[in-house]
Amino acid sequence: MHKYLTYTKILLINDLRRHQRNNALIFVFFSFLYIITPLLLGVLTTYLVKNLSIIYLSLFILMFTVNIDKSLMRILFSSDKKQMAILKLQLDQYIFGKDMSKFFSIMVGLLFFILGSYLTNLSIHGFQGSLTLAALAITSFILGYLLRLHVLLLLSNPKFFAISSTIGYITTGLIALWVFTVFKFNLLKSSLSSYSIYIILGFTFISILLVIYWRRNVRNVPIFQFQKKAKEQKGTSRKFNHILFYEITLLMRNPPIQWSVLLFILTISGGLFGLILYGVNTNQLETLNIENDFLFIFSVIFPMIFISNAIQPYVSFDIDGPILPLKRKLPNLVKNKIKNKVILSIILHLLFCILYTIFSSFTIKLDEPVYVIITLVNTCILVAICTVGSTVVFPYFKWEFVYQVPSSLSKLTLNICYGFILALSVISSYSTVYFIVTNIVMVTSSLIIIFLIIRFWDRTINKNYKSFKTLFE
């Protein structure tokens, strides 16, 4: 433990020296922000919140999530990582020290918050239940930090490097979900005294297991050699029984857009979807006299415009770069690629369509549910086919970086098609005749587009449409 504290102290002192300011002033600021303020907040919380145990239970979430993304960036990209390895610092010491250099101030603030709230509660209610409350706070605090260390250890593995950029979104979502749960079930006013002993025992047991795992597998492991050598696999490469799984594996290994950007796009779509449902739930859209079926289809399909633009890079005809122009003499290879990209696009669009349909069904009551479901399925299939088809019409195989696909003309074509498809889908809710006609048009269009991209892909495979300028040159 002495080595942990020594290395942490060095990092903290180095951080203070980087400020190049009066250390006394920094200490005063630190004391006010992370000692006095949390102490006063703890006292105030005791008077405002009836059930202090749920606040202590929340420490588990806070210890696990707060600033974990910044700590991870320090562990992965620290400038002194090689020097620490040369000095034979072990992996567990390195992770603990780097995390403490970022999380130390927040941890101090949480400790003084616990101290202020606990002492105030003790002075008001006496010793009744005080030991249980203290045990809950301690076990929740310890388990949260142990889980934090193990997650940092896991994400510092190069295999999970793609997830590191999205960990901030995930932890923010966990905090939001916990806050929603607390207010949804009114946990701030309900008592957990009958369950506290079981929570404490469960947290203690899990903490012991995490400590045992840490001591056996992480202690005395060098910084750059913390992974055990994988067992030798028979064969020279992974075998795939279906080309679709092969395509998915390639996309996961080399995604065309970063996961953080993908999550941002999905967040915009989900926010727009939630805004529409909020307008329905608060009766803001009643003055427009919109029928339920029309509104249901619009609430599902319209937010998926952003999702289709996020899916398009993953199913682009030109995602393989110069490989397809070189392999055009193998038409079955190109056709199989297109077929699997269409299948993957349909699966992804239907997945989000089902998700949005489930949430919409809780808010909007349908008059003709069968008609609406058929329309949504046909719409998603047509959009999925257009997503791939637009990249076949305007491919760009000469990209230098994978995020340069699809071409700007492909994106423009998809959004133009989306406008017509959205119009067809909402018109289908007007009457039975409109439903039959629009769905026939969508099914026919899907078949025609599939035929055209399979039949005429070779007409565009040697053309590189990157922008409007290259189109007219």
Side-chain angles (χ1 to χ4, degrees):
M1 192 63 187
H2 176 69
K3 292 182 179 180
Y4 285 98
L5 298 178
T6 301
Y7 180 53
T8 304
K9 178 181 177 182
I10 293 172
L11 288 176
L12 290 173
I13 292 174
N14 289 338
D15 286 342
L16 289 174
R17 288 175 177 173
R18 289 193 189 103
H19 292 285
Q20 296 181 353
R21 293 181 180 178
N22 191 349
N23 289 340
L25 183 62
I26 295 176
F27 178 76
V28 171
F29 178 76
F30 178 88
S31 301
F32 175 78
L33 192 62
Y34 295 107
I35 296 178
I36 299 175
T37 302
L39 198 64
L40 295 177
L41 285 176
V43 175
L44 184 63
T45 302
T46 309
Y47 290 100
L48 296 178
V49 180
K50 179 181 179 181
N51 181 20
L52 199 59
S53 58
I54 194 63
I55 300 296
Y56 289 165
L57 189 62
S58 301
L59 293 173
F60 163 71
I61 301 293
L62 294 176
M63 292 294 296
F64 171 56
T65 57
V66 175
N67 276 350
I68 192 173
D69 53 337
K70 296 179 181 178
S71 294
L72 181 60
M73 291 300 106
R74 289 197 174 197
I75 293 171
L76 291 175
F77 306 111
S78 177
S79 58
D80 64 348
K81 191 171 185 178
K82 291 184 178 179
Q83 288 85 344
M84 295 299 103
I86 294 172
L87 293 173
K88 296 184 179 180
L89 203 74
Q90 306 302 325
L91 178 66
D92 54 345
Q93 300 165 357
Y94 178 76
I95 291 177
F96 180 82
K98 284 297 179 183
D99 182 51
M100 271 296 178
S101 65
K102 188 63 184 176
F103 192 62
F104 175 75
S105 56
I106 297 176
M107 180 179 287
V108 171
L110 290 175
L111 287 173
F112 277 93
F113 173 83
I114 296 171
L115 181 62
S117 60
Y118 182 75
L119 292 178
T120 306
N121 182 77
L122 192 64
S123 63
I124 295 175
H125 300 287
F127 290 95
Q128 183 180 1
S130 60
L131 292 178
T132 303
L133 199 61
L136 180 63
I138 294 172
T139 53
S140 181
F141 187 90
I142 293 175
L143 177 60
Y145 192 69
L146 288 175
L147 276 177
R148 180 187 184 88
L149 291 177
H150 282 76
V151 170
L152 289 173
L153 172 68
L154 178 66
L155 295 180
S156 61
N157 190 320
K159 291 182 179 180
F160 300 99
F161 182 76
I163 305 176
S164 61
S165 60
T166 64
I167 188 63
Y169 295 97
I170 297 173
T171 53
T172 304
L174 289 175
I175 294 175
L177 182 62
W178 174 250
V179 173
F180 172 79
T181 303
V182 170
F183 285 98
K184 177 69 175 178
F185 298 100
N186 202 17
L187 297 180
L188 291 175
K189 295 183 179 180
S190 58
S191 177
L192 296 178
S193 57
S194 58
Y195 303 100
S196 294
I197 186 64
Y198 300 106
I199 296 174
I200 293 170
L201 291 176
F203 280 9
T204 303
F205 178 72
I206 297 173
S207 298
I208 293 173
L209 292 180
L210 291 176
V211 171
I212 293 174
Y213 175 84
W214 188 271
R215 290 179 62 88
R216 288 184 177 180
N217 298 280
V218 188
R219 291 290 298 274
N220 301 322
V221 177
I223 294 177
F224 292 104
Q225 297 178 359
F226 62 95
Q227 289 180 288
K228 294 182 178 180
K229 292 184 179 180
K231 296 181 180 179
E232 295 184 0
Q233 298 179 353
K234 295 181 180 179
T236 57
S237 62
R238 185 175 177 181
K239 296 181 180 180
F240 294 91
N241 296 323
H242 199 283
I243 190 174
L244 179 61
F245 298 134
Y246 176 74
E247 294 288 342
I248 294 174
T249 302
L250 289 178
L251 289 173
M252 294 298 292
R253 289 179 178 176
N254 191 21
I257 57 178
Q258 293 182 359
W259 295 109
S260 56
V261 178
L262 178 63
L263 280 176
F264 176 73
I265 296 174
L266 296 181
T267 302
I268 294 176
S269 176
L272 181 59
F273 174 71
L275 185 63
I276 296 173
L277 293 188
Y278 175 78
V280 176
N281 195 35
T282 55
N283 300 323
Q284 299 291 325
L285 301 177
E286 281 188 351
T287 56
L288 300 178
N289 295 322
I290 302 176
E291 294 184 359
N292 288 345
D293 291 355
F294 180 101
L295 190 59
F296 192 98
I297 294 173
F298 181 81
S299 67
V300 173
I301 298 300
F302 185 68
M304 288 186 63
I305 294 175
F306 297 97
I307 291 179
S308 294
N309 281 274
I311 292 174
Q312 192 182 27
Y314 289 88
V315 296
S316 292
F317 181 57
D318 43 4
I319 189 66
D320 298 292
I323 295 177
L324 290 184
L326 293 174
K327 299 293 183 181
R328 62 178 303 171
K329 294 182 180 179
L330 302 173
N332 289 333
L333 172 67
V334 180
K335 291 179 180 178
N336 285 332
K337 286 246 178 209
I338 295 175
K339 180 181 70 174
N340 283 279
K341 292 179 191 301
V342 170
I343 293 174
L344 180 60
S345 180
I346 292 174
I347 292 174
L348 292 175
H349 279 84
L350 287 177
L351 176 65
F352 286 100
C353 179
I354 292 171
L355 184 64
Y356 282 0
T357 300
I358 292 173
F359 283 104
S360 294
S361 62
F362 292 115
T363 305
I364 306 173
K365 303 300 180 182
L366 293 175
D367 299 324
E368 299 290 344
V370 177
Y371 289 177
V372 172
I373 296 301
I374 293 174
T375 299
L376 289 176
V377 171
N378 284 332
T379 303
C380 282
I381 293 176
L382 179 56
V383 171
I385 294 172
C386 288
T387 303
V388 180
S390 62
T391 64
V392 176
V393 176
F394 298 112
Y396 178 62
F397 295 102
K398 294 183 179 180
W399 48 265
E400 297 179 1
F401 302 99
V402 71
Y403 58 77
Q404 292 177 336
V405 292
S407 65
S408 56
L409 287 176
S410 297
K411 297 176 183 178
L412 179 63
T413 303
L414 174 62
N415 290 318
I416 292 174
C417 293
Y418 219 118
F420 289 104
I421 297 170
L422 178 61
L424 286 174
S425 60
V426 295
I427 288 173
S428 67
S429 63
Y430 289 165
S431 65
T432 304
V433 176
Y434 282 107
F435 165 76
I436 296 173
V437 173
T438 54
N439 277 272
I440 290 176
V441 170
M442 285 192 286
V443 172
T444 305
S445 300
S446 299
L447 296 176
I448 292 174
I449 294 173
I450 290 177
F451 171 78
L452 291 177
I453 61 179
I454 294 295
R455 181 69 177 82
F456 296 105
W457 58 266
D458 56 333
R459 302 288 179 89
T460 60
I461 201 165
N462 282 331
K463 297 180 181 179
N464 291 282
Y465 303 108
K466 187 177 182 181
S467 64
F468 287 104
K469 182 179 179 180
T470 57
L471 176 62
F472 294 105
E473 285 180 349

